[in-house]
């Protein structure tokens, strides 16, 4: 097992008394409690962790937090769990951790795909748009499979995720995002007011930059001591919730924030059943964003070799983890933070070969020289060498070109405020010329930014800014508390001034092309210049053409430098170039976190009726209808679908059948204006519908096309029982609510969904009355007393019932509505009564055949969103004297009355054994190359002894008696156009 030979003898926030073992690509290493995978690898001298996306160049650890573009790893655990694309810089070490590198074939050291780098001149930005578009067949068969095999960040797991995930909704007065200096003081000041506070931070330990502030004092105490006291105080306050390991990944409207909290990833053995992660959906009265800032890299030739890192990351690894990122280091700087890093590394015994400052001479450079550091000013960076790790860097200063041997190069290009979340909140950014950065300006939500994320980089400024933000947030949330804020005195051993550089760094060797701007997507400065030359002036277009700032990085390191290069190339300022959109998530989160418990059986929860268990016992075959489980057919003695349906259809026509219609949508419409509401909503007239009567209702969208249908019964002058299709229940209720609240707020009406409250048992067939009549109390079921299309409340089997005499089969029919709790009992009673009449249970397929024999449409089958009532043969349902209803004006458009529109007709095949395919196109014999319609429903009718079909055909009603053809791969099928009612066209059977 390799030991950590780049670990300092002491220091850091790791627990050296608790060593941990882990592996990376099969090799064993050691680390300590408190390490991340990245810090432990660096402690073992491992910088090479991956290969780049496009060129497969060696890539090393570059940052120390969520800004890391290269160190994406996969982690394998027991139970077949494999998680790709985890940031090594944020993956906490535990004993036995098994990590693997990604995007290499077959290994990091010997990647066959590295040949792409040799042909880089032939695959510049946008090459795929130009190269693989022709011929089309070559793309499908040759290019696409190979590109897909080579591309990608990690391998998607092949096994199902065995972990569980939790979700929680929370409300608070003030949500503070980020527990660095500004976030801590913001949380404390807000908490003093008594407001409910949530403080979240994506690290395991809260403190932000203070975790690596060993040479800083606050109010005379070491920063570590002040931090510990602050966290202890916050943890002891009942109104404060601390959420470490929690990333704020998305800012959504009305201060709705998404937080992803890691619960067990840092544990070697989590307790059984303990959730792996938790999704917090937080609604906050006020938000304080204290997201800090990201150090900006420098763009120079060959700046992507392993061992080339951000200077502040090197400081973090040294001070927080006790890790030396190299033994001989060169620092390239355009910001004073490079000098701070140099001093701290030198104090730890690390050899600083040189500081190359691309700026001119300065007081910080003079102090560095006095400390014995070699400083080159006005430096140009000409390139680096090294195969799997940087070995040297070539610099030019004062006309002299020198090459420095080194094993690490640290970049200090300045700091970029982290404005991702503010931008997601739809806040407006402004460009600050002094800081050379975008800062939050106009807020769109009840939030404020504090600290480094709004340009206050100095520690004392950040602490004071956070305190003021916390106090003002609490006051805005309704907790006024105005004690004097006592400024905290901060002492920093090596103060950091401003400055920084944007765009490509100076070089005396511009011929070397690969100066990387986006490490994750292999985008170079040359790629961005090419995009500008080819006319992509919008930064959003440059982003998509070159892919800079995309993928999991979301431009954290690349955006500002890309803006600078585009600005220089196009002769514009950075504000004129603009800024790309920051999209959620800010950092990657797992699909499991978003799904929570909505997976496996809970992914798409099944809805079952009260009769479901009975149907299972009878051997029913089920189908999914939306979320509902419905009996498709009831096979007997090994019957297949067709045999079972043929038997069920004959039984219903000859005797009686029972059908579970409980899934139909049911809505109760109640109020003095209920009839007026129905009049305005449906095409039919409702004012004169008598109490105890039913009517078939048709509902249109505003564009005049059929949306839904169903039978409506009037229970009282101010009460209607409305049925909808199974799939349309929520849609229709939502539309009703919309109109009632926004268009017809003058109407006094209440809407209540009763779909789950009623079990609906359809008893259909010539013997239907004989079956249910003995079970009914308080209602005369004779034809004269209770005719077709009647509704009444009564009792059945001693329980309340709402009975409708309606039929979707064309036979004598009753729909028994009983409270769902009684559904199974009443069904069983009807079933037992029906056995004397050879009753059958039938499913949805038989229901479809029976209704097709009668020419009854099904919404979504005969209609496709472009069908009017007249097209479907329902013009008779429209109230002719009605002044208005939803969709009425649209029906008057010329296109809606075109005689060539598709209309509902019936089709009979010349060969009665042939059943047409639903969706098949229909042509006229004289114009076989032009479709004039399509088959919507097709079945074999055991009752009629032949196949039947419904179809939508152009000018269909004018074509009755014509012969058309349905072209199929095996040859055209001849069909005759007939009326859509195949059985009992006069409707005598429904009125017996």
């Amino acid at each position: 097992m390799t030991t950590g030979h780049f670990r300092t003898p002491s220091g850091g926030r790791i627990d050296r008394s608790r060593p941990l073992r882990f592996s990376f690509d099969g090799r064993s290493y050691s680390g300590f409690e408190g390490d991340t995978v990245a810090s432990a690898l660096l402690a073992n001298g491992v910088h090479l962790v991956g290969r780049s996306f496009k060129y497969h160049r060696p890539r090393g650890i570059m940052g120390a937090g969520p800004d890391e573009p290269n160190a994406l790893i996969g982690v394998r655990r027991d139970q077949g769990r494999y998680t790709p694309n985890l940031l090594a810089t944020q993956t906490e070490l535990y004993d036995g951790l098994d990590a693997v590198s990604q995007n290499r074939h077959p290994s990091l050291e010997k990647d066959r795909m590295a040949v792409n780098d040799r042909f880089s001149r032939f695959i510049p930005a946008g090459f795929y748009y130009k190269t693989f578009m022709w011929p089309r067949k070559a793309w499908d068969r040759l290019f696409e499979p190979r590109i897909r095999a080579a591309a990608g960040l990690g391998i998607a797991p092949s096994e199902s995720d065995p972990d569980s995930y939790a979700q929680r909704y929370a409300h608070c007065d003030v949500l503070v995002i980020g527990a660095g200096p500004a976030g801590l003081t913001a949380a404390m000041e807000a908490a003093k007011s008594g407001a409910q506070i949530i403080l979240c931070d994506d690290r395991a330990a809260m403190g932000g930059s203070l975790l690596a502030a060993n040479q800083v004092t606050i109010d005379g105490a070491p920063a570590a001591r002040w931090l510990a006291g602050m966290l202890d105080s916050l943890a002891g306050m009942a109104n404060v919730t601390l959420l470490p390991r929690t990333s704020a990944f998305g800012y959504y409207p009305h201060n709705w924030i998404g937080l992803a909290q890691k619960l067990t990833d840092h544990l070697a053995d989590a307790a059984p059943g303990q959730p792996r992660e938790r999704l917090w959906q937080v609604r906050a009265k006020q938000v304080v964003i204290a997201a800090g800032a990201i150090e900006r890299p420098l763009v120079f030739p060959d700046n992507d070799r392993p061992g080339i890192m951000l200077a502040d990351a090197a400081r973090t690894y040294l001070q927080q983890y006790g890790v030396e990122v190299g033994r001989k280091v060169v620092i390239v700087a355009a910001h004073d933070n490079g000098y701070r890093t140099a001093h701290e590394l030198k104090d730890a015994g690390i050899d600083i070969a040189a500081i190359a400052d691309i700026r001119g001479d300065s007081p910080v450079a003079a102090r560095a020289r006095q400390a014995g550091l070699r400083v080159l000013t006005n430096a140009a960076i000409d390139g680096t060498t090294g195969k799997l790790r940087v070995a040297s860097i070539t610099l030019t200063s004062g006309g002299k070109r020198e090459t420095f041997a080194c094993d690490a190069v640290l970049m200090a290009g300045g700091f970029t405020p982290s404005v991702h979340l503010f931008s997601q909140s739809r806040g407006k950014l402004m460009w600050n010329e002094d800081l050379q950065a975008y800062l939050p300006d106009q807020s769109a939500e009840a939030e404020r930014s504090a600290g480094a994320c709004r340009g206050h980089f100095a520690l004392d400024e950040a602490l004071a800014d956070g305190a003021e933000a916390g106090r003002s947030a609490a006051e805005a949330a309704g907790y006024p508390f105005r004690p004097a804020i006592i400024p905290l005195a901060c002492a920093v051993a090596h103060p950091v001034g401003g400055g920084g550089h944007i765009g490509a760094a100076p070089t005396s060797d511009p011929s070397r092309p690969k100066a990387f701007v986006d490490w994750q997507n292999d985008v170079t400065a040359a790629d961005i210049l090419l995009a500008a030359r080819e006319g992509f002036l919008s930064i959003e277009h440059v982003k998509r053409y070159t892919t800079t700032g995309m993928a999991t990085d979301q431009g954290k390191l690349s955006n500002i430098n890309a803006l600078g290069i585009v600005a220089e190339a196009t002769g514009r300022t950075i504000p004129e170039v603009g800024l790309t959109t920051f999209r959620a998530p800010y950092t990657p989160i797992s699909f499991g976190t978003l799904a929570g418990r909505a997976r496996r059986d809970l992914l798409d929860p099944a809805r079952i009726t009260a009769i479901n268990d009975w149907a299972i016992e009878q051997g029913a075959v089920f189908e999914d209808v939306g979320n509902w489980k419905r009996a498709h057919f009831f096979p007997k003695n090994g019957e297949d679908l067709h045999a079972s349906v043929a038997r069920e259809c004959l039984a219903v026509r000859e005797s009686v059948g029972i059908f579970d219609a409980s899934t139909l949508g049911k809505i109760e419409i109640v109020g003095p204006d209920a009839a007026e509401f129905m009049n305005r909503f449906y095409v039919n007239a409702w004012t004169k519908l008598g109490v105890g009567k039913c009517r078939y209702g048709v509902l249109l969208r505003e564009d005049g096309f059929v949306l839904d249908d169903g039978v409506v019964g009037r229970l009282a002058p101010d009460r209607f029982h409305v049925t909808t299709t199974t799939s349309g229940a929520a849609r229709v209720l939502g539309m009703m609510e919309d109109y009632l609240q926004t268009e017809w707020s003058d109407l006094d009406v209440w809407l209540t969904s009763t779909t789950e409250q009623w079990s609906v048992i359809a008893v259909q067939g010539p013997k239907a009355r004989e079956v249910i009549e003995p079970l009914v109390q308080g209602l005369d079921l004779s034809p004269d007393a209770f005719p077709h299309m009647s509704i009444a409340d009564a009792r059945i089997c001693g329980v309340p019932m709402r009975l409708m005499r309606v039929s979707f089969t064309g036979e004598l029919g009753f729909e028994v509505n009983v409270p769902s709790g009684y559904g199974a009992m009443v069904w069983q009673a009807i079933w037992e009564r029906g056995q004397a009449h050879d009753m059958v249970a039938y499913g949805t397929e038989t229901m479809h055949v029976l209704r097709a024999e009668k020419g009854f449409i099904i919404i979504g089958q005969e209609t496709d969103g472009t069908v009017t009532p007249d097209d479907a043969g329902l013009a008779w349902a429209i109230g002719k004297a009605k002044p208005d209803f939803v969709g009425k004006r649209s029906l008057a458009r010329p296109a809606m009355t075109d005689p060539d529109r598709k209309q509902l007709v019936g089709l009979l095949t010349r060969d009665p054994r042939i059943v047409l395919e639903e969706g098949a196109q229909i042509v006229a014999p004289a114009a076989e190359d032009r479709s004039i319609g399509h088959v919507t429903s097709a079945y074999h009718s055991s009752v009629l002894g032949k196949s039947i079909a419904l179809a939508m055909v152009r000018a269909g009603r004018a074509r009755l008696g014509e012969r058309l053809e349905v072209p199929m791969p095996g040859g055209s099928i001849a069909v005759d156009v007939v009326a859509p009612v195949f059985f009992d066209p006069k409707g005598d059977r429904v009125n017996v």
Side-chain angles (χ1 to χ4, degrees):
M1 181 168 64
T2 305
T3 57
H5 56 283
F6 279 83
R7 187 82 71 175
T8 60
S10 62
R13 300 175 63 90
I14 54 174
D15 186 349
R16 295 174 186 258
S17 67
R18 301 186 64 182
L20 305 173
R21 58 177 181 80
F22 73 103
S23 66
F24 179 65
D25 280 351
R27 298 178 184 174
S28 295
Y29 300 97
S30 67
F32 293 108
E33 184 79 22
D35 265 323
T36 63
V37 172
S39 67
L41 286 173
L42 290 171
N44 286 277
V46 178
H47 278 257
L48 176 65
V49 292
R51 290 280 177 163
S52 67
F53 180 78
K54 182 176 174 183
Y55 301 129
H56 282 250
R57 287 168 66 99
R59 286 285 192 263
I61 298 166
M62 189 173 176
D67 53 345
E68 171 59 45
N70 298 328
L72 292 169
I73 60 171
V75 173
R76 296 182 295 213
R77 301 189 81 149
D78 54 5
Q79 300 180 14
R81 182 206 297 170
Y82 170 73
T83 306
N85 294 327
L86 295 175
L87 285 175
T89 54
Q90 292 191 302
T91 301
E92 296 177 60
L93 198 66
Y94 56 83
D95 195 51
L97 183 143
D98 181 12
V100 293
S101 58
Q102 302 183 156
N103 204 37
R104 79 289 193 274
H105 308 275
S107 69
L108 282 177
E109 292 77 10
K110 297 180 180 180
D111 185 355
R112 288 192 296 267
M113 296 298 293
V115 68
N116 287 2
D117 197 30
R118 300 183 182 181
F119 297 98
S120 59
R121 69 176 60 189
F122 303 109
I123 49 175
F127 78 97
Y128 30 79
Y129 296 124
K130 307 168 186 176
T131 308
F132 301 120
M133 296 299 102
W134 184 90
R136 178 67 188 178
K137 290 182 179 180
W139 168 259
D140 293 337
R141 299 177 182 177
L142 178 63
F143 300 134
E144 184 178 22
R146 284 169 171 76
I147 291 174
R148 286 189 178 276
L153 296 172
I155 300 173
S158 58
E159 302 295 328
S160 61
D161 187 351
D163 294 311
S164 63
Y165 299 84
Q167 295 187 340
R168 178 173 176 177
Y169 292 89
H171 292 79
C172 65
D173 297 309
V174 180
L175 169 65
V176 181
I177 300 171
L184 290 171
T185 54
M188 178 57 75
E189 287 300 317
K192 289 176 182 177
S193 71
Q196 291 294 320
I197 311 300
I198 294 178
L199 172 62
C200 68
D201 192 90
D202 58 0
R203 301 190 187 193
M206 292 184 166
S209 62
L210 297 178
L211 297 173
N214 292 4
Q215 300 186 17
V216 174
T217 62
I218 302 175
D219 269 1
R225 187 187 305 169
W226 181 90
L227 172 61
M230 176 67 79
L231 291 174
D232 286 344
S233 297
L234 288 169
M237 302 176 78
N239 59 326
V240 176
T241 300
L242 300 180
L243 297 179
R245 301 186 179 92
T246 304
S247 298
F249 63 84
Y251 202 132
Y252 303 97
H254 310 296
N255 272 16
W256 189 27
I257 316 297
L259 308 179
Q261 181 184 21
K262 295 182 179 179
L263 300 175
T264 61
D265 275 0
H266 61 292
L267 302 176
D269 296 303
Q274 186 174 356
R276 180 182 180 188
E277 297 178 8
R278 178 183 288 120
L279 174 67
W280 289 74
Q281 298 180 66
V282 179
R283 187 79 71 178
K285 289 182 180 178
Q286 297 288 320
V287 174
V288 176
I289 301 175
I294 297 170
E295 190 163 29
R296 195 179 303 155
L298 291 170
V299 179
F300 57 85
D302 295 322
N303 60 343
D304 66 323
R305 301 187 194 279
I308 300 178
M309 303 175 62
L310 297 172
D312 213 51
R315 280 189 59 255
T316 297
Y317 287 118
L318 176 66
Q319 306 289 15
Q320 186 173 346
Y321 301 103
V323 171
E324 301 171 348
V325 298
R327 294 280 166 73
K328 191 168 188 177
V329 175
V330 172
I331 298 175
V332 291
H335 186 270
D336 290 355
N337 191 55
Y339 291 90
R340 179 187 182 185
T341 301
H343 285 293
E344 294 189 14
L345 267 58
K346 179 178 180 295
D347 293 344
I350 297 172
D351 183 8
I352 306 299
I355 302 174
D357 195 334
I358 69 175
R359 304 171 297 176
D361 217 342
S362 65
V364 291
R367 287 195 296 270
R369 292 191 185 99
Q370 291 173 2
L373 295 170
R374 184 177 180 191
V375 180
L376 308 178
T377 55
N378 294 310
I381 310 162
D382 295 332
T384 65
T385 64
K387 187 176 181 182
L388 298 180
R389 181 170 175 179
V390 65
S392 70
I393 184 171
T394 300
L395 305 168
T396 300
S397 176
K400 183 180 179 181
R401 197 167 190 258
E402 292 184 76
T403 298
F404 295 84
C406 59
D407 59 358
V409 173
L410 309 181
M411 302 177 289
F415 287 92
T416 301
S418 184
V419 296
H420 290 66
L421 288 171
F422 177 82
S423 181
Q424 288 176 20
S425 75
R426 298 171 294 116
K428 301 298 183 183
L429 299 167
M430 67 174 179
W431 176 254
N432 186 295
E433 192 65 32
D434 294 334
L435 296 177
Q436 291 285 284
Y438 277 103
L439 299 179
D441 187 16
Q442 299 176 20
S443 296
E445 298 284 354
E447 62 75 40
R448 60 211 19 86
S449 297
C453 70
R454 79 178 196 108
H456 292 290
F457 300 125
L459 179 56
D460 55 351
E461 292 181 4
L463 291 168
D465 195 43
E468 177 57 35
R471 187 169 65 177
S472 64
E475 187 172 8
Y479 293 84
F481 182 74
R482 306 287 302 180
I485 296 178
I486 302 174
L488 297 170
C490 302
V492 181
H494 303 286
V496 175
H501 182 79
I502 294 177
T507 179
S508 61
D509 188 5
S511 63
R512 302 185 70 172
K514 289 193 179 67
F516 284 88
V517 178
D518 187 320
W519 282 256
Q520 188 167 100
N521 295 295
D522 266 347
V523 181
T524 66
D527 291 328
I528 295 174
L529 292 172
L530 174 64
R533 288 198 303 272
E534 295 196 358
F536 293 95
L537 301 181
S538 165
I539 192 62
E540 291 286 4
H541 293 163
V542 172
K543 172 181 177 178
R544 283 154 181 79
Y545 190 66
T546 64
T547 69
T548 187
M550 297 177 72
T552 64
D553 177 60
Q554 278 296 299
K556 295 181 184 69
L557 296 182
S558 60
N559 267 10
I560 291 295
N561 282 327
L563 291 176
I565 294 170
V566 172
E568 183 177 358
T570 59
R572 295 178 293 169
T573 64
I574 286 181
E576 290 173 332
V577 172
L579 187 65
T580 59
T581 301
F582 296 109
R583 289 182 172 82
Y586 171 66
T587 52
I589 58 173
S590 67
F591 287 115
T593 302
L594 296 176
R597 300 189 183 279
R599 46 203 300 253
R600 300 188 179 95
D601 290 341
L602 297 179
L603 172 63
D604 194 16
R607 301 171 73 183
I608 60 175
T609 71
I611 294 92
N612 186 77
D613 291 346
W614 184 93
I616 293 174
E617 292 173 0
Q618 297 295 315
V621 175
F622 287 85
E623 68 170 342
D624 293 329
V625 181
N627 291 115
W628 288 100
K629 292 288 185 182
R630 301 192 72 180
H632 193 200
F633 60 100
F634 289 83
K636 301 293 183 183
N637 302 320
E639 291 175 329
D640 63 8
L641 168 67
H642 302 294
S644 179
V645 170
R647 173 180 54 79
E648 291 170 13
C649 287
L650 285 170
V652 173
R653 295 289 186 211
E654 294 173 357
S655 182
V656 65
I658 187 171
F659 174 71
D660 183 5
S662 303
T663 64
L664 290 176
K666 294 170 279 292
I667 303 169
E668 197 103 339
I669 299 179
V670 182
D673 297 320
E676 176 61 23
F677 175 82
M678 293 293 295
N679 258 344
R680 297 183 188 182
F681 203 67
Y682 282 86
V683 305
N684 316 70
W686 302 97
T687 305
K688 296 182 179 180
L689 180 67
V691 173
K693 299 299 181 183
C694 298
R695 181 165 290 163
Y696 172 72
V698 179
L699 174 63
L700 308 183
R701 300 194 311 242
E702 290 181 348
D703 56 11
F705 297 123
V706 176
L707 175 69
D708 204 82
D709 67 351
V711 176
V712 178
R714 192 165 194 175
L715 303 170
D718 61 349
R719 184 181 297 264
F720 289 84
H721 176 94
V722 177
T723 67
T724 73
T725 58
T726 295
S727 61
R731 179 174 61 242
V732 172
L733 180 61
M735 185 173 170
M736 286 180 172
E737 292 279 11
D738 183 25
Y739 271 86
L740 194 58
Q741 293 181 34
T742 63
E743 302 295 331
W744 307 324
S745 57
D746 59 307
L747 297 183
D748 193 0
V749 175
W750 295 269
L751 309 174
T752 305
S753 172
T754 59
T755 299
E756 283 81 10
Q757 277 62 49
W758 294 106
S759 286
V760 182
I761 304 166
V763 183
Q764 305 279 309
K767 304 292 185 179
R769 184 182 292 108
E770 296 177 43
V771 171
I772 71 166
E773 195 167 31
L775 303 175
V776 175
Q777 300 98 39
L779 185 63
D780 183 355
L781 297 188
S782 64
D784 293 334
F786 199 65
H788 181 55
M789 298 302 277
S790 296
I791 185 171
D793 287 339
R795 301 182 75 82
I796 185 170
C797 302
V799 302
M801 172 189 65
R802 179 169 294 169
L803 185 65
M804 301 173 71
R805 185 178 165 190
V806 294
S807 174
F808 198 47
T809 63
E811 301 293 334
L812 170 65
F814 298 89
E815 289 189 0
V816 178
N817 293 257
V818 294
S820 293
Y822 298 117
M825 181 270 289
V826 174
W827 175 283
Q828 183 67 37
I830 295 174
W831 174 253
E832 291 174 358
R833 282 284 310 168
Q835 296 312 296
H837 302 280
D838 298 322
M839 172 181 271
V840 298
Y842 66 94
T844 54
E845 187 67 15
T846 293
M847 177 267 291
H848 280 256
V849 176
L850 295 172
R851 64 89 198 175
E853 291 171 349
K854 289 293 297 178
F856 297 152
I857 70 166
I858 287 185
I859 299 297
Q861 191 154 334
E862 273 62 54
T863 67
D864 61 0
T866 64
V867 173
T868 68
D870 183 67
D871 298 339
L874 302 176
W876 56 267
I878 299 175
K880 302 300 186 292
K882 291 182 63 173
D884 198 12
F885 54 81
V886 174
K888 178 178 174 66
R889 283 170 290 178
S890 295
L891 293 179
R893 292 179 294 171
M896 306 295 257
T897 58
D898 186 341
D900 200 38
R901 288 186 61 82
K902 290 183 180 180
Q903 297 168 340
L904 182 70
V905 296
L907 299 178
L908 292 175
T909 56
R910 291 294 178 95
D911 184 341
R913 298 169 299 175
I914 297 175
V915 179
L916 300 175
E917 289 189 15
E918 293 176 354
Q921 299 301 298
I922 302 169
V923 300
E928 293 186 356
D929 60 338
R930 179 175 177 266
S931 172
I932 61 171
H934 65 281
V935 178
T936 60
S937 299
Y939 312 96
H940 181 269
S941 170
S942 58
V943 174
L944 300 173
K946 57 187 174 182
S947 72
I948 60 173
L950 297 176
M952 296 298 292
V953 177
R954 292 191 182 279
R957 288 192 287 271
R959 295 179 182 272
L960 296 180
E962 282 190 23
R963 177 176 171 271
L964 301 176
E965 293 184 355
V966 178
M968 298 297 291
S972 291
I973 301 171
V975 295
D976 292 324
V977 181
V978 298
V981 182
F982 301 95
F983 180 78
D984 187 25
K986 295 183 179 180
D988 296 332
R989 298 173 67 92
V990 79
N991 291 308
V992 297

